[in-house]
Amino acid sequence: MSVKDQIEAIASEARDQLAGVTDAGALEEWRIAVLGRKSPLQSVLRSLGELPADMRREAGRIANVLKQELDGALDVKREELGRQKIAETETSGRIDVSLPARPIGAGRLHPITQTQRDVVHAFVAQGFSVIEGPEVELDYYNFEALRIPKDHPARELMDTFYIDREDDSDTKLLLRTHTSPNQIRFMESHDPPIRVICPGRTYRNEATDPSHEWMITQTEVLAVDRGLTLAHLKGTLFEFAKRLFGRERKIRFRCDFFRFVEPGVDMAIDCFLCGGSGCRTCKQEGWIEILGAGMVHPEILSKMGYDPDIYTGFAAGLGVERIAMLRYGVDDIRHFYENDIRFLRQF
Ligand code: FA5
């Protein structure tokens, strides 16, 4: 068979095959088989060098014409298949642009963060400034300076995470058990009048139950000035409680004991769950204690360099998780840190 006949045979077979191509995958296979490096057309082109010069020129011309024709046919087929695909999508895979978009899952603040911010606002509105202190604290600030010396039974009220250190006990480190060390830290470097609050995390090596967690968020309140009395403390805390719980909730204020205040008090709110009759959440008390407070001990005022005959002060430590339980009606404090999205989504 002459080269010209060979080329024409290849061309006619390629045209027939192309007519049967119905999708992009098959078209690619056709391109490789007909125009690729290993195709019959390419081997014919490679063998042209063996022909005499005049025949070679003629056969080369025919082969090039054919190659151009096949390249053109490939483009036409590609376009045709593309149009077909669009037509199919228009009928079978219609997109309804009027459908509402899928919601983007925006995050939100954790209920304890929300409550902490509301607590802070309730005091800022009464003229308090916000300070912060370290979560890893010295034994001195957490206990000693608050009149809780080493081996004193009052330490046992706060089961403590101590941090091992090959040092003497005065520089012993621990995870702070309350925010009260910041009273000392602030008074050490400031003179009255003082009106500050200190929000933050605290830690106790505690067995948990519906109203006790081992990590607690507290807010410390401290005011020192001339002539401050228990009435100022009560007024400030009542105003805070009204802002957070509304005017209808019952507030209980009674004596309590803390080594660093004299006198000491605690404040409780009536249990949201049982309305005061007693249940598992309030430990059958009918009340949920939210804070400890009192008048700053005169010995501490003196140690800070303030004359206790001139200056008096009040302090309080609020438990933010308990406040959040009361506000949102959460019956178990442990829900807050279980990271269950079904719970957290409600706030
Ligand atoms: C204190 O921590 C004192 N520092 C408070 C204080 C400050 C008294 C200033 C006087 C002057 P207490 O251990 O009672 O006190 O804790 C204060 C509040 O934190 C409690 O009323 C309670 O609301 C919360 N709280 C304490 N322990 C836990 C716990 N394990 N789980 C949840 N909340 C707690």
Side-chain angles (χ1 to χ4, degrees):
M1 202 193 281
S2 72
V3 176
K4 192 178 162 206
D5 290 345
Q6 276 182 43
I7 292 173
E8 262 164 18
I10 291 169
S12 115
E13 201 186 334
R15 284 185 205 109
D16 288 350
Q17 283 171 352
L18 187 61
V21 166
T22 54
D23 62 61
L27 184 61
E28 181 59 9
E29 276 170 26
W30 178 88
R31 186 191 68 75
I32 293 165
V34 173
L35 297 163
R37 270 192 308 121
K38 291 181 185 159
S39 62
L41 180 61
Q42 291 295 344
S43 38
V44 171
L45 287 171
R46 273 196 294 275
S47 67
L48 290 182
E50 293 154 20
L51 297 174
D54 53 338
M55 283 176 74
R56 190 192 317 146
R57 216 173 297 121
E58 179 59 5
R61 191 186 62 75
I62 295 169
N64 276 331
V65 169
L66 174 66
K67 188 161 180 313
Q68 276 173 17
E69 180 206 318
L70 294 177
D71 280 340
L74 175 69
D75 289 344
V76 169
K77 190 75 180 181
R78 223 178 237 149
E79 225 171 89
E80 187 188 310
L81 289 177
R83 270 199 308 274
Q84 248 174 42
K85 183 93 192 156
I86 291 169
E88 272 168 28
T89 317
E90 273 173 359
T91 49
S92 68
R94 254 188 208 140
I95 299 165
D96 183 350
V97 290
S98 69
L99 272 179
R102 285 202 189 119
I104 298 169
R108 66 192 81 183
L109 293 176
H110 190 277
I112 297 301
T113 309
Q114 291 180 34
T115 307
Q116 177 71 294
R117 290 192 180 181
D118 292 341
V119 168
V120 167
H121 286 147
F123 286 100
V124 168
Q126 298 185 70
F128 285 79
S129 309
V130 182
I131 59 163
E132 281 188 312
E135 288 183 25
V136 176
E137 187 52 284
L138 288 165
D139 185 284
Y140 171 75
Y141 288 108
N142 198 82
F143 291 126
E144 296 272 341
L146 291 166
R147 301 184 67 251
I148 311 174
K150 199 165 165 274
D151 300 325
H152 193 281
R155 286 206 182 198
E156 282 177 21
L157 294 173
M158 297 182 182
D159 303 305
T160 309
F161 289 114
Y162 286 99
I163 294 170
D164 285 342
R165 232 180 162 203
E166 288 163 8
D167 240 326
D168 59 25
S169 71
D170 285 349
T171 56
K172 210 161 163 185
L173 284 175
L174 43 84
L175 294 184
R176 66 180 176 196
T177 56
H178 51 169
T179 42
S180 299
N182 297 293
Q183 292 183 31
I184 306 295
R185 285 183 175 276
F186 194 80
M187 284 191 280
E188 266 180 357
S189 52
H190 294 80
D191 288 327
I194 291 171
R195 250 192 243 185
V196 288
I197 55 167
C198 179
R201 291 261 163 87
T202 64
Y203 305 85
R204 296 184 189 183
N205 187 7
E206 192 140 29
T208 63
D209 66 30
S211 56
H212 290 82
E213 253 298 359
W214 63 269
M215 180 181 78
I216 322 147
T217 314
Q218 287 195 340
T219 300
E220 194 73 13
V221 180
L222 174 68
V224 183
D225 206 342
R226 287 167 190 263
L228 287 184
T229 68
L230 198 66
H232 293 105
L233 169 63
K234 273 182 95 171
T236 308
L237 294 179
F238 277 6
E239 178 58 28
F240 144 79
K242 271 185 229 147
R243 282 175 184 261
L244 262 90
F245 302 110
R247 286 175 193 267
E248 302 310 314
R249 293 304 280 271
K250 283 192 220 141
I251 300 169
R252 186 190 69 184
F253 211 57
R254 65 174 189 182
C255 294
D256 201 344
F257 178 74
F258 300 95
R259 288 274 301 167
F260 38 98
V261 289
E262 182 57 39
V265 294
D266 72 46
M267 191 168 119
I269 307 285
D270 61 322
C271 177
F272 62 91
L273 210 59
C274 61
S277 60
C279 67
R280 177 176 161 268
T281 300
C282 63
K283 287 197 172 157
Q284 311 305 331
E285 280 194 22
W287 298 93
I288 295 184
E289 186 200 305
I290 59 162
L291 63 88
M295 299 304 291
V296 180
H297 201 286
E299 234 176 62
I300 294 180
L301 292 174
S302 300
K303 277 222 172 96
M304 296 298 119
Y306 312 155
D307 182 346
D309 291 331
I310 300 175
Y311 292 105
T312 47
F314 66 76
L318 292 69
V320 178
E321 282 78 8
R322 298 261 182 93
I323 295 169
M325 286 173 78
L326 285 158
R327 289 181 92 197
Y328 300 125
V330 174
D331 64 355
D332 195 316
I333 196 169
R334 292 167 292 195
H335 290 317
F336 288 121
Y337 298 117
E338 271 166 0
N339 276 342
D340 186 333
I341 198 79
R342 291 165 304 177
F343 171 77
L344 295 172
R345 244 191 219 133
Q346 301 174 79
F347 303 97

